[in-house]
Amino acid sequence: MPEEKTADYDAVIVGGGHNGLTAAAYLARAGRSVLVLERDDHVGGAAVSAQAFEGVDARLSRYAYLVSLLPQRIIDDLGLDIGLVRRRYSSYTPDPLDPTRGLLVDRAADAEGARADFARAGVDASDLAAWDAFSDETRRIAEALFPTLTEPLPTRGAAKALLGDDAVWDAFIERPLGATIDARFRSDLVRGVVATDGLIGTFTSLDDPALDANRCFLYHVIGGGTGDWDVPVGGMGAVSAEIARAAATAGARVLTGAEVLSVAPAAEGRSATVQYRHDGEVQAVTARTVLPNVAPAVLQRLLGDAGALSASGAAVARPEGAQAKVNLFLTRLPKLRDGTVAPEAAFAGTFHINELGVQLRAAFERAEGGELPDPLPCEIYCHTLSDRTILGESLRDTPAQTLTLFGLHVPDRLVDRIGNDELRDRIRTAALASLNSVLAEPIEDVLAVDAAGEPCIEVKTTRDLEEALAMPGGNIFHGPLSWPWAEDDAELDTPARRWGVATRFPDVLLCGSGAVRGGAVSGIGGHNAAMALLEADAAG
């Protein structure tokens, strides 16, 4: 038997997104030799800031934009200097049937103020009571489950026991989300506000027994043990930059402009090998463990002849994203048709447009039939109302604002049917029309222009995300979301399985959003892969 060659690195990480950087920081701090290979000329993946408009001194969170699932444990462990702003207003939702009124959810409101806000939107008091009860239940789910995300996987039974309420478990985990929402709320406006957390980035029906909406909803409401979504000071790029700093300070080597071409797991007599192209030359490096921070579908392609990821040999299907991302830069906030709510309050939280429960269902059916939803359900967020540091000094004292718009139920299949350029144009038209349906003035009147005199609006389709970020199908979660636990009969006999990062190959550990408990800007995938590797090392 040939003698095994000593590996060049203890760990080679494929992809310099925030999860890969998190894994690198933990491993390097533990004394492991680490190489991060990133194909782009910068790190951060989807968690980056960029000057989206020529001549406009504003660095927008170009893809990911809010933080909820990043655990304080990771911030403390890695000594990250990250500022997060808690938003006073949770959401504002104009009534699509009468946009002169809408529901403003103000965290600072007392009971009487909340009753007045719901009444002003035409929502019955019974729905406010149901809202409070619903919020209390999701808070209890968050408090029970969020701490487990940075621990070895609990079993389903253990997770249920941690919650300690069979009725709540059944309502959110066992029954389709749509059934639970419909049973709780009379107002279709309120139903829509609640339902959207189950649909962001996920193309599904709220009533589908496969429960994809339930899993999406769960990750949207458990962050930090509260479900709050916070504004990162300096934008998403500041978050990734801090994690990159922690990794470099600990001794990890980060190589940008390095496109990984293949991953070969360890075989008899040799370590795992990663082949990559850098500066026009194909190079190879060996590792005791490879940690791919890429979508499982991408990893399967990189493995080539090594075979499928799963022990069953089943191929990983190409996932499908289901959203449009639109960035805008405004000279000022637009006026609303609802004169009772200041734009500074309406845009400070999540601004829901054309998201009645019935509209969400109709949008899904239309998209499933191959057409762009009309009207387009949208969610909007304004970073600069909470944090002006992303603006250059010449803009900070002006009324200028950024807007980030997320269009729901825009599945990747529409690109194939319509064409990417045509779909991008249609999304732009639909997004502006949806916005204008609730404004007292056209959004076009307050759009800033770039150095070339063009309106400051940037549209990203699922295919644009795939091309820019190597996310197959533009799926922002890298694939279908999983429950944050193992089934009761699961084999958890290795560190990789216990931490939810296993593949069929013992020396290839998922460290990105495709791991169990992946998705969103959390660092959890990277943390858990590092913990699995260190646990395996400790066991010898």
Side-chain angles (χ1 to χ4, degrees):
M1 180 181 299
E3 183 177 350
E4 183 174 350
K5 176 187 175 183
T6 301
D8 296 318
Y9 290 90
D10 292 318
V12 170
I13 297 172
V14 180
H18 81 283
N19 268 313
L21 297 170
T22 299
Y26 271 104
L27 293 174
R29 286 167 64 91
R32 304 309 190 268
S33 58
V34 181
L35 172 66
V36 179
L37 298 172
E38 168 55 47
R39 70 169 189 153
D40 220 327
D41 62 0
H42 59 271
V43 296
V48 294
S49 300
Q51 185 173 338
F53 306 111
E54 182 184 356
V56 178
D57 193 6
R59 292 185 58 79
L60 283 68
S61 296
R62 198 162 206 172
Y63 304 108
Y65 50 97
L66 292 172
V67 175
S68 178
L69 289 162
L70 176 61
Q72 189 63 41
R73 172 184 290 189
I74 292 177
I75 295 173
D76 293 342
D77 285 351
L78 301 183
L80 304 179
D81 183 12
I82 293 174
L84 300 173
V85 177
R86 182 65 43 86
R87 299 178 296 171
R88 170 181 168 178
Y89 297 99
S90 175
S91 64
Y92 171 68
T93 310
D95 183 348
L97 304 179
D98 180 8
T100 63
R101 66 182 187 179
L103 176 60
L104 180 69
V105 180
D106 183 354
R107 300 176 190 275
D110 57 17
E112 183 177 347
R115 281 194 296 271
D117 287 338
F118 272 66
R120 190 160 42 245
V123 178
D124 190 89
S126 64
D127 267 0
L128 174 57
W131 175 280
D132 289 339
F134 194 89
S135 299
D136 180 67
E137 291 175 2
T138 58
R139 177 190 55 77
R140 287 193 282 130
I141 293 171
E143 290 174 349
L145 295 183
F146 187 71
T148 71
L149 299 188
T150 48
E151 298 289 345
L153 282 169
T155 62
R156 173 182 282 263
K160 185 176 181 179
L162 283 171
L163 177 60
D165 189 320
D166 289 354
V168 172
W169 179 273
D170 180 69
F172 291 92
I173 308 302
E174 305 292 350
R175 300 175 61 198
L177 181 64
T180 295
I181 292 173
D182 288 348
R184 299 293 184 88
F185 302 104
R186 297 172 58 188
S187 166
D188 206 37
L189 186 75
V190 177
R191 287 175 178 173
V193 174
V194 174
T196 54
D197 279 335
L199 298 175
I200 295 291
T202 301
F203 189 57
T204 188
S205 164
L206 294 167
D207 306 309
D208 192 331
L211 305 181
D212 289 344
N214 294 60
R215 287 187 286 275
C216 184
F217 181 84
L218 186 67
Y219 284 100
H220 275 92
V221 301
I222 64 173
T226 64
D228 289 307
W229 288 81
D230 296 333
V231 178
V233 176
M236 272 299 185
V239 176
S240 291
E242 257 303 283
I243 304 174
R245 180 200 58 77
T249 300
R253 181 188 176 204
V254 179
L255 186 63
T256 58
E259 180 185 7
V260 172
L261 304 175
S262 66
V263 173
E268 186 175 343
R270 66 166 174 79
S271 302
T273 304
V274 178
Q275 190 178 67
Y276 63 97
R277 182 184 292 109
H278 184 251
D279 287 339
E281 295 184 3
V282 174
Q283 304 180 45
V285 64
T286 59
R288 289 198 303 115
T289 307
V290 179
L291 280 67
N293 179 29
V294 295
V298 172
L299 174 57
Q300 185 168 265
R301 174 177 57 79
L302 295 176
L303 287 167
D305 294 339
L309 296 182
S310 66
S312 67
V316 176
R318 182 176 184 273
E320 181 177 39
Q323 70 292 314
K325 174 77 184 292
V326 182
N327 290 312
L328 305 98
F329 190 71
L330 310 181
T331 57
R332 61 171 172 81
L333 291 176
K335 298 174 183 176
L336 307 175
R337 292 181 64 183
D338 181 354
T340 68
V341 177
E344 291 77 13
F347 285 97
T350 301
F351 193 129
H352 299 269
I353 302 177
N354 289 314
E355 290 187 337
L356 292 175
V358 67
Q359 288 179 308
L360 292 172
R361 285 182 165 90
F364 173 75
E365 292 170 1
R366 183 173 171 86
E368 195 174 37
E371 297 294 335
L372 188 68
D374 181 20
L376 181 67
C378 296
E379 302 203 350
I380 300 172
Y381 133 81
C382 178
H383 185 111
T384 42
L385 282 172
S386 298
D387 168 38
R388 304 290 288 180
T389 67
I390 68 169
L391 301 179
E393 290 185 6
S394 64
L395 291 172
R396 288 181 190 173
D397 293 330
T398 73
Q401 305 285 354
T402 63
L403 287 189
T404 291
L405 182 149
F406 231 60
L408 277 66
H409 288 325
V410 188
D412 187 63
R413 67 190 69 177
L414 296 185
V415 177
D416 295 326
R417 184 182 183 282
I418 297 172
N420 199 39
D421 290 342
E422 173 65 19
L423 179 60
R424 195 183 300 113
D425 288 343
R426 292 190 191 183
I427 290 170
R428 172 184 170 133
T429 299
L432 296 181
S434 197
L435 248 173
N436 284 335
S437 70
V438 299
L439 299 180
E441 58 183 332
I443 188 67
E444 290 88 344
D445 287 357
V446 296
L447 274 176
V449 295
D450 63 16
E454 294 296 321
C456 290
I457 176 169
E458 176 188 62
V459 179
K460 297 289 187 181
T461 68
T462 51
R463 203 62 53 91
D464 293 333
L465 295 184
E466 179 168 3
E467 292 175 0
L469 302 171
M471 289 180 173
N475 189 294
I476 59 177
F477 306 130
H478 286 191
L481 288 168
S482 59
W483 293 116
W485 53 73
E487 294 303 322
D488 292 326
D489 59 353
E491 294 184 3
L492 302 176
D493 53 344
T494 67
R497 289 175 179 170
R498 280 194 292 276
W499 285 95
V501 298
T503 72
R504 185 164 63 89
F505 308 101
D507 57 346
V508 179
L509 307 182
L510 299 172
C511 81
S513 291
V516 178
R517 304 179 288 192
V521 176
S522 70
I524 292 169
H527 169 276
N528 292 348
M531 294 303 105
L533 189 155
L534 295 175
E535 182 181 316
D537 282 356

